[in-house]
Amino acid sequence: MSTYWLRRKIEDETNAKTDRKDPVITINYSGGSLSVYCPNPSEYAVDSDVVKKAADLGAEIIAYASTWCKATYEAKQYGKSIGVDVMPYAGLFALLKRRGVLFIE
């Protein structure tokens, strides 16, 4: 499952909840929700095809583990043009913090 690690991190360490789906999870928090696509291991290079797939599945964000995955410049630009943000998990966590999701220490 591509969303397993992220789902566990969100549910165990924040005040947000997820809908427990895969490959797009919805993160629900007091200020709203975000639909996040997590690439699977065969998508270790996020390109425009992965962005299109995520958009077709209804994702607003593609979040990936920077330890084994990368995103191309083309993917980031294409994502911007169709309203899908492409970012590593660290960027997603920063976004969630800015939106008031509390991380449990």
Side-chain angles (χ1 to χ4, degrees):
M1 266 199 260
S2 59
T3 60
Y4 177 79
W5 183 87
L6 180 60
R7 187 173 60 241
R8 292 292 310 261
K9 182 87 170 161
I10 296 294
E11 291 181 353
D12 291 350
E13 299 182 23
T14 73
N15 61 341
K17 299 292 178 208
T18 73
D19 64 359
R20 304 185 138 272
K21 294 190 177 174
D22 189 60
V24 176
I25 61 172
T26 300
I27 301 170
N28 298 300
Y29 56 96
S30 62
S33 65
L34 291 171
S35 296
V36 180
Y37 176 79
C38 297
N40 62 52
S42 69
E43 298 168 328
Y44 60 87
V46 176
D47 59 15
S48 60
D49 291 335
V50 176
V51 174
K52 180 172 180 358
K53 175 183 173 182
D56 290 347
L57 290 170
E60 303 168 75
I61 294 173
I62 297 172
Y64 59 90
S66 58
T67 54
W68 63 265
C69 189
K70 65 179 181 171
T72 65
Y73 177 78
E74 171 196 29
K76 291 177 183 180
Q77 294 306 307
Y78 179 57
K80 267 187 205 177
S81 74
I82 63 170
V84 176
D85 291 319
V86 180
M87 63 186 71
Y89 285 147
L92 175 63
F93 297 145
L95 174 67
L96 289 171
K97 280 186 177 183
R98 286 193 305 274
R99 294 195 177 180
V101 174
L102 303 175
F103 283 79
I104 300 166
E105 303 283 331

